[in-house]
Amino acid sequence: FARTFLVLATGLMLGVFSLPARSSDTEERPDVADEKIVLRTIAGDMILGLYADLAPQHAAQIIRCAEGGVFDGTHFLRLHPRFMLQASAAEDRLTPLEPTQASLIESLETELSDLRHVRGTLSMSRDTDGSDGGLAQTYFFVTFVDSPHIDHKYTVFGKLLAGWDVIEEFQEESGSGGRWRKRHRRSS
């Protein structure tokens, strides 16, 4: 059966960007796993699909951490105009991780595939610039545009299934110099 996990995040965006209408990429993408991640923000929900067959360790970590509430209260760390939106590391969330939550986080080696970084790609950030490997844990990014300069350097573990309207809201909010002050709480 399909499961959906709810992750709550707040966002603070700085910068201005515009989004292209569509990716120019015609590459066929693999099917996503039945499990979906709902990233709930103050601007709305983003739905993330995972490539469990191509990046099984990364997909498993995202699901395990979502189930354990690890991502609740995280925020968006970085917005690069015409490139990507990056979520913060779980350790930087609003409230400290409980010991049981911290134990869910593993350091992961890259799981590289032939998939390219096209518009809507979910990719895992690492503790280095990607030139010498590095290990991934919990912070990831979604690309706004095709980004061939990072192909084969970061693990592609999924794609944005829905929520471009949320990213457009981030654009408007960041462009006006606004800061989000609302906090979300997990609802049952």
Side-chain angles (χ1 to χ4, degrees):
F1 69 97
R3 294 183 297 172
T4 301
F5 303 101
L6 179 66
V7 176
L8 304 177
T10 60
L12 169 62
M13 299 294 112
L14 303 172
V16 178
F17 64 98
S18 60
L19 299 173
R22 288 274 169 221
S23 168
S24 61
D25 187 49
T26 57
E27 173 183 58
E28 190 160 324
R29 306 302 268 186
D31 291 333
V32 295
D34 288 339
E35 294 84 7
K36 309 292 185 285
I37 304 293
V38 176
L39 183 64
R40 178 145 296 156
T41 75
I42 63 170
D45 293 349
M46 299 166 69
I47 301 175
L48 314 179
L50 305 176
Y51 298 137
D53 292 339
L54 289 177
Q57 293 176 19
H58 287 73
Q61 174 129 305
I62 293 290
I63 291 169
R64 181 175 58 250
C65 288
E67 286 178 314
V70 170
F71 295 113
D72 292 353
T74 58
H75 63 279
F76 292 106
L77 170 71
R78 187 177 319 177
L79 183 148
H80 281 279
R82 300 193 53 76
F83 176 36
M84 61 88 169
L85 175 67
Q86 184 174 8
S88 68
E91 293 82 7
D92 294 333
R93 68 188 212 156
L94 294 172
T95 57
L97 291 169
E98 297 293 327
T100 54
Q101 292 173 318
S103 71
L104 299 173
I105 302 170
E106 298 176 9
S107 293
L108 303 174
E109 297 286 337
T110 55
E111 294 178 288
L112 299 179
S113 69
D114 290 332
L115 287 181
R116 298 181 311 128
H117 286 81
V118 297
R119 183 177 191 260
T121 295
L122 296 175
S123 193
M124 189 65 75
S125 300
R126 294 195 310 273
D127 61 1
T128 69
D129 65 5
S131 61
D132 64 352
L135 299 174
Q137 290 190 333
T138 59
Y139 67 108
F140 59 89
F141 58 93
V142 58
T143 56
F144 301 149
V145 297
D146 295 357
S147 305
H149 63 286
I150 59 172
D151 288 346
H152 312 295
K153 293 181 181 178
Y154 297 91
T155 299
V156 173
F157 70 90
K159 68 180 179 179
L160 182 67
L161 299 175
W164 283 108
D165 57 324
V166 175
I167 290 183
E168 290 168 5
E169 175 73 19
F170 292 163
Q171 173 186 9
E172 291 173 20
E173 192 68 21
S174 66
S176 68
R179 293 181 175 204
W180 289 310
R181 293 185 176 92
K182 285 171 58 176
R183 301 273 188 239
H184 282 277
R185 295 197 176 128
R186 187 172 208 144
S187 55
S188 35

